[in-house]
Each structure stands twice: as structure tokens, then as C-alpha cells.
Amino acid sequence: MLSKKLSSVTPSFTVGISTKVKELKKQGQDITNLSIGEPDFFTPENIKEAAIEAIQNNLTKYDAASGVLELRQAICKKLKIDNNLDYEANQIVVSSGAKHSITNILMAVLDPGDEVIIPAPYWVSYPEMVKLTGGVPVFIDTKKGNSFKLQPEELKDAITKNTKAIFITNPSNPTGTVYNKEELKMIVDICVQNDIYILSDEIYEKIIFDKEFTSIASFSKKAYDLTITINGLSKSASMTGWRIGYTASNLELAKAMGSIQGHLVSHPSTISQWAALEAVENCEEATQDMVKIYRTRRDLIIELFKEIPKLSIIKPDGAFYFFIDISQLKDSLDYKDSLSLKVCDDLLEKQKVAFVPGIAFGNDEFIRMSYATSLENIKTGLDKLKKYTESL
Ligand code: PMP
Ligand code: GLU
């Protein structure tokens, strides 16, 4: 009796594994969790206080479908200062997390059968979101030798007359790869020539080490018109549970998304939006403190992997993930369908450490590690991983 759409949609691996870990921990099991991409920091105090103040001031009523005006204005200022982008408040739509923003975009632009290009490895939810909104995901397997960056020729080959949009995630989840300006420009030029919407997921924009971040919409007027910039506060302000994301786009799209959202959820929680206003205006120092800590962890992990010769990694320049090459374990393991599932199941069962199988991101020869967790957990988790590879 369920909709046919659901027959090809799988539950979120990232959310699923982390829920399983929480259950096992409740049962008393000592699990090291390197799975979920959720900052291990508390939401900064000033942001929490802004929420409490909003409640006390009775800012708890319905508001504009596209989001509280003051927040949209603050987002415009942020986009100008950080990204050199000019937007008016009516081009911003605030939603319940970037997940919701992406769903709004897809609902606004896709007709049944429209193709959406998704470079793999990709963030776990993109293909399912595309399928749920009537589109067809088209994957491009990017190469480890290219640091998993999409190459212009690969993109040209994947474009058809049905191509409507492409996802670009920069910095990338799950690989931590960061595109430089020239690399991005080559991709953007092809999208512009072919009139393809660019869904630019910039949620890890602030979590970047030594590299310069470029916002895709800043390349040209045409790029600006075709790009929907996706961002949110889950990562930069450690506000995962508050559920605030946003889009910046051309006015036509923003109106369409506002109207979709108005019918489906009205708008995200007003209390979260007032807290988000404080986060957008006054969180840079706290974010940079977190980034410093992520960098220390990343550098330590690179050292620790030198002691695990059977596994290889690419140094990530952003986000808080390592995508770990497990292909050398293939011959030592007895598995049916999926190598990465087998490895992650073994690791959880035998070593009590949780990773996310690469198959969830479209590459079965890898597993993903999140280092949004303490140094102690990282050391324990990688020690368990080492023991596992030595046992094979
Ligand atoms: N995009 C990417 C690349 C992500 O990793 C995530 C996961 N947080 C999201 C979007 C969605 O984030 P949220 O819905 O918490 O804003
Ligand atoms: N984006 C994070 C991750 O990839 C959080 C979980 C999710 O939203 O999928 O782990």
C-alpha cells in the first residue's frame, strides 16, 4: 500500500548507525563512536541565551514562511562579508536544517524524470532526496587519484538533455576534499554553458584548514542565477538539534521554495530562528576555536594512520571526516555483497567501534570516520581499527 517511490529509498545510514550506537551504549556496551558527523561541542552560551530570551519575550508565534526577517537580513550580511555575495532578504529561505533546504530546492526545480548529477562519493541523503522528489540521480564516480574531485571531462560526459541540476559539496562529506577556485570555475563554466542548476552545499564552509573557500555563486552573474547556495548552522555553530539551514538563490526560486515551505511546515521553529540570528551575527570566534581543535585532531589522525599499513587515507582539507581506503582488506575477508558493510559490522561487533560504510556514500571500498569527537575517543577508536586489521 505504500507509495512506489519508497521501494528504492533506504533509511539514512548515518542517522541509523548513530541511533544503534546510542542503543548499544544504553545496554551498557562500551562503544567508540566515530560514525556520526555531529560536532561534539555544546551550542555556545550566547546562542542558548538568545533562545531563552526569545521565549521570555514571547517570540513564539507563527512568522513569515521564508523565515524571520531579521534572520534573513543577517544572513544577507554574512553572505556579503564572508562570500562577497549580494542578496536581498527576499532571496533567502530559512528551513529546518540544510536537509530541509535541499528538499525544498528539489521540489521547486524537478519534474518527473529530470536528472540530477551527484558526484560520488556523495553525502548519504542526496540520492534518496532526489528519488523522493521524482528525479533521477545520475552518479559520476570521481577518482581517489584526483582526491575525489570532479573533473570537467567527467562532468561533460554525464550531461544529457534531461540534466536539471548538480550537487557540489565543498568541503566534501565524506572525503574532506576542498576544491580550489580554478577547479571550481571549470565545473561552473560547464554548468553555465548547459543551463544546469548548481546546488552548492556549503555547510562545511567554515571548517577548512589552510585553504581558501570560494562560493560558487560568486563566479559570474549567470553562475549567481543558476546557483542555490545551501548552508546552515548545524556544523559551524554546533546547532544540530536546533534544525536551522538556509538557501540563497534567485528571487523566482526563493519565492517558489517559500511557497512550498509555507504549505508543508509554515517555517522552522521561531525560537530556533532567533537563536540562529545570534549565531549568524556572533559566533565566529567560537567557530574558529572549534576549527583549531578539529585541525589538531586531523593532524594526530594522519600520524596514527601511519601505524596501520593496510589502510590508506587522503589528507582532508576541510569538514571533519576521513574517508579510509579498505580495499587492501578484500582478500582477507569472506563477504557476500558489500565489503564496507562487512568491515563496519565486524568493527562494531568485534571491536566495539562504529564507522559508516562507504557504500552509504557510493563507494564500497572505503569506510568513513568522523573526528567530531574527543582525542581520547579518536585514539581508542583507531587502536581498535588497528587491532582489527592485524587480526585479518
Ligand atoms: N549537507 C551535508 C554535506 C551534510 O553533511 C549534512 C549533515 N549535517 C547536511 C547537509 C544536513 O545538515 P542539517 O540538516 O543538520 O543542516
Ligand atoms: N551529516 C552528518 C553525517 O553525515 C549528520 C547525519 C546526517 O544528517 O546524515 O554524519
Side-chain angles (χ1 to χ4, degrees), residues 65-66 93 104 253-263 266:
S66 295
V93 179
N104 279 340
L253 272 175
K255 275 189 185 161
M257 289 189 275
S259 144
I260 290 168
Q261 173 158 301
H263 286 296
S266 296

Side-chain angles (χ1 to χ4, degrees), residues 289-306:
D289 288 346
M290 293 185 231
V291 173
K292 255 187 226 152
I293 295 172
Y294 291 134
R295 175 203 288 266
T296 309
R297 293 174 184 171
R298 179 201 65 165
D299 292 345
L300 172 84
I301 294 166
I302 290 171
E303 289 309 307
L304 291 177
F305 266 103
K306 290 181 182 157

Side-chain angles (χ1 to χ4, degrees), residues 247-274:
T247 53
S249 67
N250 69 44
L251 188 57
E252 184 192 23
L253 272 175
K255 275 189 185 161
M257 289 189 275
S259 144
I260 290 168
Q261 173 158 301
H263 286 296
L264 296 188
V265 294
S266 296
H267 53 72
S269 147
T270 37
I271 302 158
S272 289
Q273 290 191 67
W274 286 105

Side-chain angles (χ1 to χ4, degrees), residues 15-27 29 31-35 348 353-355:
V15 177
I17 290 167
S18 138
T19 310
K20 188 169 172 188
V21 169
K22 278 185 192 148
E23 272 165 25
L24 292 173
K25 278 189 171 174
K26 256 192 205 153
Q27 291 165 16
Q29 294 203 34
I31 311 283
T32 313
N33 191 3
L34 305 180
S35 68
L348 189 56
V353 58
F355 292 84

